[in-house]
Amino acid sequence: MALRSIRTEGDPDLLKKSRPVEKFDRRLQMLIEDMFDTMYDAEGCGLAAVQVGVLRRLVVIDTGEEGERLVLINPEIIETQGEVREAEGCLSIPGKRGVVCRPGKVTVKALDENGKEFIRTGTGLLARAMCHEIDHLDGILYSSKVERWLAPGEGE
Ligand code: NI
């Protein structure tokens, strides 16, 4: 298990656009494993490569509810439906939570860790996590979309 340090707000890399993943090699597999380890250690449900300082279009998600580890490489949102306002947080902005409007249902096209294309539709927390993490790949932090910040302990 290898933990990588999580970049926090103020780090200029978090505002940069990540480049596509091109090589599906052992180095990529190690990065994916490290990202899961780092995310679980920090008790998050999603992590983008840029958050550990790698500017490539890769995210890992595990919402718990879905009971699976999801790897999205070079993801694209191909369909969205509805609007849901709920609180979210980010491992790069520790200790804060704010309400963000996201689609209620999201369909994403992505490559898996072997470079094979797949399509995944998610609702609820999974839809929110996919949108939040894909935003990271474009240098967008959820703080720029927050409609209302929550007081500490509110809505938990
Ligand atoms: Ni985040």
Side-chain angles (χ1 to χ4, degrees):
M1 165 160 157
L3 299 180
R4 304 206 182 192
S5 63
I6 298 176
R7 307 289 181 93
T8 51
E9 205 176 16
D11 186 314
D13 280 353
L14 290 174
L15 303 177
K16 292 180 186 165
K17 198 171 158 81
S18 295
R19 290 177 295 152
V21 171
E22 283 159 1
K23 285 188 198 162
F24 293 81
D25 54 7
R26 189 172 144 66
R27 196 181 157 94
L28 180 72
Q29 309 306 327
M30 284 174 58
L31 172 61
I32 291 168
E33 288 309 310
D34 288 357
M35 284 173 62
F36 274 113
D37 289 344
T38 303
M39 179 185 79
Y40 291 131
D41 182 71
E43 296 179 358
C45 63
L47 190 70
V50 59
Q51 294 180 273
V52 294
V54 178
L55 286 151
R56 292 288 179 176
R57 303 184 77 81
L58 158 66
V59 312
V60 299
I61 293 171
D62 186 345
T63 61
E65 301 180 331
E66 301 288 325
E68 71 174 306
R69 294 161 32 119
L70 187 61
V71 177
L72 302 176
I73 296 173
N74 303 343
E76 273 176 66
I77 294 173
I78 55 175
E79 201 181 333
T80 65
Q81 207 178 305
E83 282 187 350
V84 180
R85 282 178 171 77
E86 261 182 32
E88 62 187 71
C90 178
L91 293 176
S92 292
I93 309 174
K96 287 190 174 180
R97 283 163 63 77
V99 175
V100 180
C101 179
R102 301 281 190 189
K105 185 175 177 187
V106 177
T107 300
V108 171
K109 182 173 84 172
L111 303 178
D112 69 12
E113 48 206 297
N114 301 308
K116 188 171 179 289
E117 191 177 290
F118 68 99
I119 287 177
R120 181 66 201 263
T121 298
T123 58
L125 182 57
L126 179 58
R128 181 166 295 275
M130 293 198 293
C131 292
H132 176 117
E133 299 310 327
I134 291 171
D135 271 354
H136 272 299
L137 305 183
D138 292 319
I140 298 166
L141 294 174
Y142 88 103
S143 48
S144 68
K145 296 186 167 180
V146 166
E147 295 179 355
R148 181 175 70 86
W149 289 102
L150 268 63
E154 187 187 344
E156 279 174 7

